[in-house]
DNA sequence: AATATAGCTGGACGGTGTACAATTAGCAAG
DNA sequence: CTTGCTAATTGTACACCGTCCAGCTATATT
């Protein structure tokens, strides 16, 4: 509990170590417990020490969000069926989000992470959309719809939904079907719309 | 700035007054400024006084969320075209959400408000879904998809999206089109799926 | 070897939500 | 008309939060 170091002595912290510990703490104790003080304690360090490696808690979380997005498996932009590529990408995103349940509300509260990984995924999505003849503003619209839907659905999956009293047991596999169904609806809608215009 | 009342003297607070002031404060100063102390000051009352009418800040916000949902204009359950009824309901919800921008992130972070108004809307939606031959678990799935999509889209509308660098000006009318397009995709998907099964 | 830099600690500041005890206004009952 | 109970309100305070500032010193730079 007490301090082992006197001022001036180093603890060998790294920015990566801080991010990693934050991710662990989040996974173990949940979002509410992710506090700068708790994080510092886990690293056996004074709370202020963190600010040598992270400019603010907000920035820390932003980095966390983008770091998670690195796990998303994106299909090659030249995949045979572009529409299928979009499907795979969103499905993988959904999957990744479910393995980091506590972060999901943050994606929403903040806004979908402008980090480099997010940009990478965005670019791939736009490329795929272009291959199904969706360009310009229509493309960014479709992009938005897909992202919204995926993150939103993850939010409703991870945290208990409202349920207007129908059937009780929320089976994960069912929920996955639920997600993929809606996703397909959106994708057919997007591609059909481009066929008309 | 100072206290006009001595302990024991009443201020005539009501639960409704507290909720109302909270809503005003939110609209005027934004989410960050909605603090128990600020709320108390606006009502010329000590911060603790609020706890005679509200059990916690969380509960207060929950009530706020549900109160806003009362503004949603729901179509009569026996509207001619049930699918159109769903469309109108979600469109109205989207509209209401946009007039309370600061609450939107809260709907997501928390989870869609289990209050009485939310239940009322849920029931109506299920009734409409039944009329387009969607029942049981499929119905609650569809319900979830529609809610997720609407709230999620509102979130991306109110708070600046990420934008992978295409076109700049985010015209509200365009965004509305964006929303209604996706909504139609979902609705056709939902109804078509029921036609198959 | 001298000096700058950057990591760390101690301590503090201003903010938050909220519990506790003491006061007293308003109302019901005698 | 008095008495007493309940519930609204205040003052005070606690524990916690994110973060700034000043000092110390191990390390990198010159």
């Amino acid at each position: 509990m007490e301090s082992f170091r006197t001022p001036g002595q180093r603890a060998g912290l790294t920015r990566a170590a801080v991010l990693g510990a934050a991710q662990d703490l989040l996974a173990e104790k949940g979002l509410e417990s992710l506090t700068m003080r708790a994080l510092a304690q886990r690293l056996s360090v004074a709370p202020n020490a963190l600010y040598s490696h992270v400019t603010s808690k907000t920035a820390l979380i932003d980095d966390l969000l983008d770091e998670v997005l690195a796990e998303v498996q994106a299909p090659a932009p030249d995949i045979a069926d572009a529409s299928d590529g979009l499907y795979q990408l969103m499905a993988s995103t959904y999957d990744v989000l479910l393995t980091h349940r506590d972060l999901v509300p943050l994606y929403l509260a903040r806004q979908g992470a402008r980090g480099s990984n997010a940009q990478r995924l965005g670019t791939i999505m736009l490329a795929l959309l272009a291959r199904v003849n969706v360009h310009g503003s229509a493309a960014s619209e479709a992009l938005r719809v897909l992202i919204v839907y995926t993150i939103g659905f993850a939010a409703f999956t991870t945290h208990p939904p409202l349920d207007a009293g129908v059937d009780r047991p929320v089976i994960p596999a069912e929920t996955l079907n639920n997600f993929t169904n809606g996703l397909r609806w959106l994708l057919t809608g997007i591609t059909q719309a481009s066929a008309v215009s």
Side-chain angles (χ1 to χ4, degrees), chain A:
Chain A
M1 295 285 186
E2 288 80 66
S3 57
F4 284 33
R5 268 177 304 275
T6 66
Q9 292 190 309
R10 329 223 137 171
L13 274 199
T14 345
R15 176 191 171 80
V18 172
L19 288 191
Q23 211 163 324
D24 293 351
L25 183 58
L26 203 54
E28 291 177 21
K29 307 265 209 170
L31 177 57
E32 307 238 298
S33 302
L34 177 54
T35 158
M36 296 305 260
R37 287 178 158 85
L39 185 54
Q41 184 175 358
R42 170 177 272 252
L43 293 163
S44 306
V45 144
N48 323 340
L50 303 175
Y51 288 85
S52 297
H53 305 94
V54 162
T55 60
S56 72
K57 186 184 182 183
T58 306
L60 191 168
I61 289 183
D62 280 337
D63 288 343
L64 236 54
L65 293 181
D66 203 67
E67 201 171 68
V68 164
L69 253 36
E71 301 174 22
V72 173
Q73 286 204 306
D78 60 345
I79 185 177
D81 186 342
S83 171
D84 208 52
L86 282 170
Y87 176 86
Q88 288 178 223
L89 204 167
M90 301 323 289
S92 171
T93 303
Y94 180 74
D95 193 52
V96 167
L97 288 179
L98 288 199
T99 67
H100 301 274
R101 305 177 106 76
D102 290 285
L103 281 180
V104 176
L106 293 177
Y107 278 102
L108 298 159
R110 212 163 296 277
Q111 211 32 272
R114 296 179 226 334
S116 59
N117 281 309
Q119 285 191 349
R120 157 188 149 251
L121 295 178
T123 314
I124 296 180
M125 288 179 67
L126 285 179
L128 291 172
L129 283 170
R131 289 190 42 212
V132 292
N133 271 359
V134 180
H135 314 270
S137 68
S140 53
E141 285 181 16
L143 186 106
R144 195 132 70 208
V145 168
L146 288 174
I147 297 177
V148 161
Y149 175 76
T150 303
I151 300 183
F153 209 96
F156 267 63
T157 304
T158 54
H159 300 267
L162 58 141
D163 263 345
V166 191
D167 51 318
R168 250 7 63 230
V170 180
I171 303 157
E174 258 185 22
T175 313
L176 179 59
N177 267 341
N178 196 176
F179 168 74
T180 55
N181 280 338
L183 179 55
R184 282 188 210 282
W185 298 339
L186 284 180
L187 285 175
T188 54
I190 290 172
T191 52
Q192 281 179 2
S194 78
V196 178
S197 80

